[in-house]
Every structure is written in structure tokens, then in C-alpha cells.
Amino acid sequence: MVQPNALAPLFLRIGLGSILFAHGLQKLLFISRTMEFFELIGVPFPSLSAYGIATLETLCGIAFYLGIHIRLAGLCTILLMCGTIITVKGAKGFIDGYEFDALIIVNAISLMFTGPGEYSISHISNHP
């Protein structure tokens, strides 16, 4: 029988992984727009930063989705979202600003504490 507590990390991972993957992939598919936006808001080395951030966001999404390297993906996600808050959304305030990014940070922290859960590649392979 499936334990309800075993499903919680799965749902967090699938939701968070899907969001990160979708946003990262969109940045990669439209990399020239991403670079232009990064240059517009003053991100240092906009071309390199665009590729790096888009790739990292996509890979973190995949890691969460599959349930592998959760703590590393969580740390990277927290750093990405803090960067987003500092460079883009912080001045807008919490409401209609960085509340979504804060929620992503809280989900990443939660998964860093709980781990990937039973329904993950890490659990199946006995690899933390």
C-alpha cells in the first residue's frame, strides 16, 4: 500500500521539476532573447550568463523530476531564484514580484531536507 507521506516528495519534485525545466528550456530555445534581456537588465557577461542559467535551470528541472542529485539541484535552484529576486523581481516587492520565486525556494529547501523520496531514481538505485 502506498503511504501518503511517500507521495509528498514526489509531487513536490514533479511540480518543481516541471516548472524549472519549462522555464530553462524556454530560455534555451530563445537564447538570443534571453541574452538581450540579460544585457538589458545589466547581468554581467549576458551571453555566458544566459547559457549558464538556462542550462542549469533545465538540468535542475530534470534532476528534480527524476529524483536524482536533489540536494545539489536544490542548492542550485535556491541560488538561481535568489539571483532572479536580486536582479529582476526584488524591486517589485513580494506581491506581483517575487512570491513565485520564494515559493520555488521553499520547495527546494523542503526537498533538500526530505530527499527525493521513495518514488525516485535515487531511491530505486540506493544512491543518495
Side-chain angles (χ1 to χ4, degrees), residues 6-70:
L7 293 175
L10 173 66
F11 289 126
L12 277 175
R13 282 190 7 253
I14 297 300
L16 187 55
S18 298
I19 290 166
L20 289 169
F21 180 78
H23 282 264
L25 187 61
Q26 181 180 21
K27 286 178 181 77
L28 284 173
L29 291 174
F30 302 101
I31 197 68
S32 61
R33 286 191 216 165
T34 304
M35 287 186 252
E36 288 172 10
F37 177 68
F38 281 19
E39 188 171 359
L40 180 69
I41 64 171
V43 173
F45 310 105
S47 298
L48 181 63
S49 295
Y51 275 107
I53 290 169
T55 301
L56 188 59
E57 205 169 0
T58 304
L59 291 175
C60 286
I62 292 169
F64 280 124
Y65 196 79
L66 297 176
I68 55 175
H69 305 294
I70 293 298

Side-chain angles (χ1 to χ4, degrees), residues 38-112:
F38 281 19
E39 188 171 359
L40 180 69
I41 64 171
V43 173
F45 310 105
S47 298
L48 181 63
S49 295
Y51 275 107
I53 290 169
T55 301
L56 188 59
E57 205 169 0
T58 304
L59 291 175
C60 286
I62 292 169
F64 280 124
Y65 196 79
L66 297 176
I68 55 175
H69 305 294
I70 293 298
R71 287 174 179 88
L72 178 60
L75 178 61
C76 291
T77 299
I78 291 165
L79 294 173
L80 285 168
M81 292 302 108
C82 285
T84 301
I85 291 168
I86 291 166
T87 59
V88 181
K89 298 183 179 179
K92 296 177 182 177
F94 186 74
I95 303 298
D96 291 331
Y98 61 88
E99 76 273 12
F100 182 69
D101 306 274
L103 182 59
I104 289 175
I105 290 170
V106 170
N107 284 342
I109 291 169
S110 177
L111 285 167
M112 288 175 72

